[in-house]
Amino acid sequence: MTFDIIPIDPLVDEDLATQWIEVQKRSGEADWGDDHCAWALAEIQGRRRGTGYSFVDLAAVQGDSVIGMAAVAMPLLDNTHLALLMLHVDPDHRGQGVGTALADAALGHIRERGRTVVQADTETPAAAKEPAGPRFAMKCGAKCAQTVFRSDMTLPADRDLLRRFAAGEGVEDAAAFRIDWRLDEIPDEWLPGLAVLEQRMSTDAPQGDMTVEEEDWTADRVQENLDWARNAGRRIVQAVAFEGEALVGFTQIEVSANSPTLGYQQDTLVLREARGNGLGLRLKATAALALMDELPQVTTVRTWNAHDNRHMLAVNADLGYVRTGVLQVWEKTLG
Ligand SMILES: CC(C)(COP(=O)(O)OP(=O)(O)OC[C@H]1O[C@@H](n2cnc3c(N)ncnc32)[C@H](O)[C@@H]1OP(=O)(O)O)[C@@H](O)C(=O)NCCC(=O)NCCS
């Protein structure tokens, strides 16, 4: 089979980019059926207009058809040693060297840009027998640096139970904390506190053996992320915990315009000094209730948690999350 690897610009080549994203979708469907995750073109384009990363996007093309895709994201604000690789081959064109050719081309671009550590994810359904992704990553010389469980919660859930969780029923110091939430519009005065929480996500959440440094967050960076989501038609439920005037915890659920029945549970963190007060459960229950009220078309919330994140996994079990698969972060150091 002959094919070419070409660079593409999703901001310019919209037809090509649409096919390129379709490969990622079809690849996800092959493994996950209806439970796949997929990016929307507007989300991909928004990231490429942002200031947080530079990108190299590659397509494997045969005639007029895109049969494979690779996207390399290189952080610009911190972790400038890293390159984050996403790579998918159309299910009808696998096992013919397309993945290897895309990986070789991507690694060439990454080396050229002086990045020294490449990370890529594979996602495997719980029932999968011989998943191609992990075998491919090992063949490329990568090592598994982090194992993450993927879990789904079905909505609508038991509203009374969620209300009791959200109120901190049975927690001794529940009254010392106030939980609040917003849909889409986040008050400016929350932004500096959210920046602190995002930065702590990069040091205080389990990182396994990943070669990552502390991220550098500002209120402007939080705002840029919110703008990216809004401009791409994403809805965001943001729940926060206050102790006095200080933000001490947060969680977000995002709903892509691309998949309006699916909520992506994003970052959740309670500052170390506020842990042990049941805030993780209160925050997540609050966000789930908000979703049921404001975006009732959402029937699934999906989350990813490090396999050793005992407390977060216990919170998820209380909320009714069910494990559906495993995500592995693969890392390769370039010599
Ligand atoms: C992993 C993936 C990219 C491989 O693409 P591909 O074009 O089939 O890859 P190649 O033909 O170049 O094969 C390279 C290696 O992949 C693995 N592989 C390919 N097909 C496989 C299959 N059906 N089952 C298990 N492993 C397979 C093998 O290790 C193979 O090497 P080998 O032929 O020497 O045994 C593709 O299966 C895919 O898109 N999977 C979903 C996304 C993903 O996991 N991406 C990898 C991120 S690191």
Side-chain angles (χ1 to χ4, degrees):
M1 183 179 64
T2 57
F3 58 87
D4 295 309
I5 307 293
I6 60 166
I8 76 158
D9 182 346
L11 293 175
V12 178
D13 311 321
E14 286 212 352
D15 289 346
L16 211 52
T18 302
Q19 277 199 61
W20 181 82
I21 293 180
E22 190 64 20
V23 169
Q24 188 243 335
K25 180 165 170 263
R26 282 163 51 84
S27 169
E29 278 169 349
D31 286 334
W32 291 91
D34 289 342
D35 291 338
H36 71 279
C37 304
W39 290 101
L41 181 58
E43 292 166 351
I44 293 278
Q45 290 179 325
R47 278 283 182 247
R48 279 141 187 81
R49 287 192 194 101
T51 58
Y53 299 86
S54 67
F55 289 90
V56 173
D57 296 315
L58 301 171
V61 292
Q62 189 173 53
D64 292 337
S65 306
V66 179
I67 58 171
M69 62 89 69
V72 182
M74 288 164 282
L76 296 174
L77 306 176
D78 49 52
N79 285 285
T80 52
H81 62 290
L82 272 186
L84 312 171
L85 172 65
M86 172 167 67
L87 192 156
H88 289 272
V89 175
D90 187 279
D92 293 341
H93 294 86
R94 291 186 183 172
Q96 301 172 65
V98 179
T100 303
L102 276 167
D104 286 350
L107 288 176
H109 285 283
I110 291 166
R111 278 204 171 84
E112 235 171 61
R113 284 159 179 80
R115 302 281 165 145
T116 52
V117 178
V118 188
Q119 286 180 353
D121 299 346
T122 57
E123 229 182 9
T124 309
K129 290 270 183 309
E130 276 187 31
R135 210 171 109 187
F136 179 79
M138 283 186 274
K139 198 191 166 207
C140 292
K143 290 202 173 72
C144 180
Q146 170 82 298
T147 300
V148 175
F149 293 140
R150 169 176 152 170
S151 315
D152 284 356
M153 175 186 181
T154 301
L155 292 184
D158 181 338
R159 194 177 283 275
D160 288 338
L161 182 67
L162 289 179
R163 279 204 190 107
R164 292 206 298 277
F165 285 156
E169 198 178 275
V171 177
E172 199 182 336
D173 277 337
F177 301 93
R178 179 172 64 85
I179 310 289
D180 201 351
W181 65 272
R182 291 289 187 282
L183 175 67
D184 300 333
E185 297 296 332
I186 308 299
D188 286 347
E189 57 273 22
W190 290 12
L191 298 178
L194 288 173
V196 171
L197 289 161
E198 291 285 8
Q199 185 143 340
R200 290 278 198 100
M201 263 316 281
S202 68
T203 55
D204 291 11
Q207 305 291 339
D209 296 325
M210 292 191 295
T211 316
V212 285
E213 295 167 356
E214 181 172 8
E215 294 181 0
D216 188 9
W217 280 84
T218 60
D220 285 349
R221 184 169 173 184
V222 175
Q223 186 63 60
E224 183 177 318
N225 248 356
L226 292 168
D227 291 345
W228 162 77
R230 198 186 350 257
N231 291 337
R234 279 198 166 206
R235 312 297 304 273
I236 301 183
V237 170
Q238 175 90 63
V240 295
F242 286 96
E243 185 174 18
E245 293 302 307
L247 266 179
V248 296
F250 77 145
T251 192
Q252 295 129 11
I253 300 173
E254 296 187 7
V255 181
S256 171
N258 212 25
S259 48
T261 61
L262 175 62
Y264 290 104
Q265 171 73 66
Q266 307 283 22
D267 295 342
T268 301
L269 183 89
V270 175
L271 294 182
R272 284 187 189 279
E273 45 274 35
R275 291 187 186 170
N277 294 298
L279 291 176
L281 184 60
R282 290 182 70 182
L283 284 162
K284 281 193 153 182
T286 301
L289 280 168
L291 212 52
M292 280 162 60
D293 288 339
E294 302 292 330
L295 302 173
Q297 74 278 12
V298 175
T299 52
T300 302
V301 183
R302 183 159 299 153
T303 192
W304 289 262
N305 306 102
H307 73 105
D308 53 350
N309 196 343
R310 200 161 47 87
H311 297 299
M312 196 77 268
L313 290 166
V315 164
N316 289 346
D318 287 345
L319 288 165
Y321 276 91
V322 173
R323 193 179 305 167
T324 57
V326 171
L327 179 149
Q328 287 169 291
V329 182
W330 298 87
E331 206 174 270
K332 181 179 165 83
T333 303
L334 301 182

